[in-house]
Amino acid sequence: MTFESKIQISKDELAHLGAGQVGYIRKMTSDEVQEQFPGVPKMESGIDLWALFNADGTPLFLSDDPSTAYVKAAEDEISPVSVH
């Protein structure tokens, strides 16, 4: 038995899929943060940080403690998913 399903979704719809409900937490160095997010205040080089991102990649929160990032996700009712 074969099922074919053709669901069409626009790039814009795909980009916003899960926004506000799903996010991911990623370990980054302070150097990576400074490079990728120029608006972030200057910080010491080589610090390990944890960033919470919205499903569309928008940064939401930054911490030096991974558990704090997970707590923030829970407070904002965002379900973090694993990203490899």
Side-chain angles (χ1 to χ4, degrees):
M1 184 183 313
T2 304
F3 292 98
E4 285 191 39
S5 176
K6 294 185 180 183
I7 299 173
Q8 293 188 355
I9 185 169
S10 72
K11 287 183 182 181
D12 188 52
E13 290 171 321
L14 183 61
H16 292 93
L17 191 65
Q21 299 171 347
V22 177
Y24 60 96
I25 295 173
R26 182 175 144 210
K27 184 178 180 180
M28 304 177 75
T29 66
S30 54
D31 302 312
E32 291 172 314
V33 170
Q34 293 285 178
E35 183 179 301
Q36 294 180 21
F37 308 107
V40 173
K42 186 75 174 150
M43 62 184 84
E44 188 177 323
S45 179
I47 299 172
D48 286 335
L49 299 168
W50 295 87
L52 170 63
F53 292 88
N54 200 353
D56 66 0
T58 304
L60 301 173
F61 183 76
L62 191 61
S63 174
D64 61 352
D65 177 31
S67 62
T68 305
Y70 282 96
V71 168
K72 178 63 175 166
E75 286 175 356
D76 291 350
E77 297 181 359
I78 295 173
S79 298
V81 296
S82 179
V83 177
H84 300 279

